[in-house]
Amino acid sequence: MNRIKNDLNIKRQAKELGVSVWQAPSFLFLMLGAIIIIIMTAVFFFARNETSADYLIVIESFVAVIILSVGNVIITNMEKLAQVNKMKSEFVSIVSHQLKTPLTGIGWDIELIISNYKDGLSEKQIEILKKIEHSNAVMTRMVNDLLDVARIEQGDLSLRKDKINFKEIVQRVIEKNRELSGHSGIEIVVSNFRSDLEVSGDEKKMEVVLDNLISNAIKYNKEGGKVFITVKEKNGKVIFCVKDEGIGISDEERNGLFEKFFRGDSASKKSVGGTGLGLYIAKNIVEQGGGKIWYKTVEGKGSEFCFSVPVV
Amino acid sequence: MKKKILIVEDDVALRQTLAEFLEADSFSVLTAADGEEGVQAAKSGTPDLILLDIVLPKKNGFEAIKEIKKDKKTKDIPIILLTNLGSLSDIEKALSLGATTYLVKGDYQLREIVEKIKDILTLSQK
């Protein structure tokens, strides 16, 4: 009895499998039942004058059995596929959680040494610790990216809706990218924007979006090029744009730009590192936060990426 | 008078590092390794703020919040959830039970956590 009750809770079943309601096996079986009834009724009306009652029963049974078995195979396979997909997402999410605890530990311990035991360390030792800190940050970022992808697929990005100071975050992310831009001799030009712009969003996720766009603008720039950052307020939204002077995005590359694991031609040509998850994650974070993301590009001249975010 | 922070965290390494950092900053620190110990320490130690993990042995973070909020002596102590779970439903559940805020562990540096603690302590004094 409980089993039937469970099976009839279509919403819950869909949620458990991570699919939409109309893809839930129970719903599909109900549909299958409806289809069988409709077809059997149709067969009855068409055939009742042509054949005897006995023969009609045989035809009806035959039709019902065929539809039921074909339908059953299709639905069972769909259910299996949904389960495999769900297991894949869960696996990524469990592994990422397990990895995050030791990664957090490493990060915190390095921070503890550098801030509390600095006096006993030589400059060389501090330099090495900073390198470990950097590698740890890169690894943490990758785990976070994988976790975000798993969450996007499960439809639960867990975005906070806090009141956050937009300028502070932008400045923090620019600071973080100074080393990267310094290496490639690229200047970051920020036009003045108001320091009191408060937006509604998730601070850490907003950092991820900004970091993706700003580091892309540096990585895909021409040598000695500039990165222009502007922030405007329009119709209750803050609009952030970052422009580079790189080679732009070719027609073929445009289609898959926001897809998962997308890597452009220029990425391999310039041997730029990355997982190809950045823009996919950025798009999902921005859109789930109630904003939009878009870009303009001129091949040979550069690209501009923008996104909007609701003001508090 | 130093502010007293209770850390409820089952991972030894994280617990020790966090405790040392907080002590070196300006706080006095109590620690607990599971939910049951955490609730006990909240009642006997009267901390000014609690940092609470969600996935804990013996009693998980949700049960711990419920008990802490049930007791008159401890119900006003602000609780920061410090978790790596970060799924929206878990977080909403914890906040609805009375946690003040939550931080996803791996996303925050120690000094950022200290800043949040100080923010919340100043707010709760007003």
Side-chain angles (χ1 to χ4, degrees):
Chain A
M1 197 58 205
N2 261 340
R3 169 82 214 262
I4 296 173
K5 227 177 170 177
N6 271 343
D7 276 356
L8 282 178
N9 194 339
I10 296 173
K11 255 194 187 160
R12 201 173 75 193
Q13 195 185 37
K15 207 180 161 202
E16 275 170 9
L17 280 173
V19 293
S20 44
V21 174
W22 63 270
Q23 286 173 316
S26 300
F27 180 77
L28 293 174
F29 273 118
L30 283 179
M31 283 299 105
L32 187 65
I35 290 170
I36 290 173
I37 292 169
I38 292 167
I39 293 181
M40 282 176 76
T41 317
V43 168
F44 174 76
F45 277 107
F46 282 117
R48 66 178 164 175
N49 297 326
E50 313 282 330
T51 57
S52 68
D54 287 350
Y55 198 48
L56 195 60
I57 290 175
V58 175
I59 294 177
E60 291 275 34
S61 319
F62 185 68
V63 168
V65 168
I66 294 278
I67 302 175
L68 195 62
S69 16
V70 172
N72 189 27
V73 170
I74 295 173
I75 295 171
T76 317
N77 274 321
M78 278 182 78
E79 190 177 353
K80 268 189 201 147
L81 198 68
Q83 263 163 355
V84 170
N85 261 332
K86 198 184 169 230
M87 272 166 63
K88 195 184 71 187
S89 290
E90 274 174 356
F91 174 75
V92 171
S93 137
I94 289 168
V95 170
S96 313
H97 283 316
Q98 296 301 328
L99 283 172
K100 269 180 101 174
T101 302
L103 286 175
T104 306
I106 296 169
W108 283 2
D109 279 326
I110 298 169
E111 192 186 346
L112 183 69
I113 297 179
I114 293 178
S115 67
N116 293 10
Y117 298 95
K118 212 173 181 174
D119 294 345
L121 296 173
S122 70
E123 255 175 55
K124 184 73 195 165
Q125 284 169 324
I126 292 175
E127 191 191 313
I128 294 170
L129 279 171
K130 291 218 160 133
K131 274 191 206 156
I132 303 175
E133 192 175 37
H134 177 74
S135 300
N136 187 60
V138 171
M139 199 142 71
T140 306
R141 175 64 188 280
M142 274 183 197
V143 170
N144 274 336
D145 279 358
L146 286 176
L147 200 55
D148 279 346
V149 169
R151 284 194 186 137
I152 289 167
E153 285 177 358
Q154 287 171 354
D156 175 18
L157 244 182
S158 317
L159 291 183
R160 307 172 73 120
K161 278 217 173 359
D162 295 335
K163 206 160 58 164
I164 46 181
N165 183 312
F166 197 65
K167 189 169 188 173
E168 265 177 34
I169 301 179
V170 173
Q171 275 167 340
R172 206 182 308 148
V173 177
I174 291 175
E175 258 342 287
K176 229 174 93 184
N177 278 285
R178 285 267 181 232
E179 204 178 331
L180 181 66
S181 63
H183 270 304
S184 18
I186 283 162
E187 190 190 343
I188 303 177
V189 185
V190 188
S191 344
N192 283 336
F193 65 91
R194 279 168 38 203
S195 56
D196 59 341
L197 282 180
E198 287 202 314
V199 297
S200 148
D202 188 310
E203 190 177 345
K204 290 289 163 188
K205 297 282 188 241
M206 191 72 73
E207 269 184 39
V208 170
V209 176
L210 288 165
D211 189 46
N212 275 324
L213 298 184
I214 294 174
S215 62
N216 275 350
I218 296 169
K219 286 191 283 190
Y220 296 106
N221 217 319
K222 68 176 182 197
E223 229 172 283
K226 283 182 182 164
V227 170
F228 300 94
I229 291 175
T230 55
V231 178
K232 281 179 259 176
E233 196 188 350
K234 202 178 164 190
N235 302 333
K237 297 245 161 107
V238 168
I239 297 169
F240 170 92
C241 290
V242 54
K243 199 165 140 189
D244 65 56
E245 298 182 315
I247 51 169
I249 302 159
S250 69
D251 279 344
E252 304 95 71
E253 287 175 318
R254 280 176 215 178
N255 290 328
L257 205 58
F258 288 105
E259 300 287 317
K260 203 172 21 170
F261 299 117
F262 175 84
R263 306 275 285 134
D265 284 347
S266 44
S268 35
K269 269 184 219 149
K270 286 186 84 179
S271 61
V272 174
T275 51
L277 292 171
L279 286 178
Y280 171 74
I281 293 171
K283 181 181 160 71
N284 277 281
I285 293 175
V286 168
E287 287 179 355
Q288 281 195 28
K292 279 202 181 106
I293 189 163
W294 66 93
Y295 68 96
K296 287 180 232 157
T297 182
V298 181
E299 233 179 301
K301 286 209 163 159
S303 316
E304 181 179 44
F305 280 82
C306 300
F307 71 91
S308 60
V309 48
V311 180
V312 175
Chain B
M1 203 25 204
K2 277 185 178 176
K3 292 284 179 192
K4 204 191 290 172
I5 311 291
L6 167 62
I7 302 171
V8 191
E9 163 68 61
D10 60 329
D11 187 283
V12 191
L14 292 187
R15 192 172 64 234
Q16 285 175 349
T17 305
L18 192 53
E20 188 179 341
F21 195 86
L22 290 178
E23 273 168 353
D25 189 276
S26 59
F27 302 101
S28 73
V29 174
L30 291 169
T31 57
D34 61 59
E36 223 168 78
E37 230 181 85
V39 174
Q40 283 306 318
K43 288 180 180 171
S44 59
T46 55
D48 296 287
L49 185 143
I50 302 170
L51 293 172
L52 181 65
D53 196 0
I54 291 184
V55 184
L56 286 167
K58 289 188 190 167
K59 208 169 260 171
N60 68 35
F62 300 123
E63 293 168 71
I65 298 178
K66 271 188 216 160
E67 285 194 31
I68 291 165
K69 290 294 166 189
K70 233 176 16 198
D71 193 318
K72 240 192 265 164
K73 235 170 57 187
T74 54
K75 74 175 173 46
D76 293 324
I77 305 172
I79 299 174
I80 301 181
L81 279 174
L82 208 52
T83 168
N84 257 339
L85 265 184
S87 106
L88 200 57
S89 48
D90 285 327
I91 287 157
E92 275 170 358
K93 186 173 166 193
L95 294 180
S96 73
L97 290 174
T100 310
T101 188
Y102 71 94
L103 303 174
V104 178
K105 265 182 246 173
D107 292 350
Y108 289 82
Q109 290 183 302
L110 292 167
R111 54 172 181 76
E112 290 177 300
I113 294 172
V114 166
E115 272 168 37
K116 297 276 175 197
I117 293 175
K118 286 179 180 166
D119 283 351
I120 289 173
L121 286 176
T122 4
L123 276 180
S124 67
Q125 266 173 358
K126 277 177 192 169

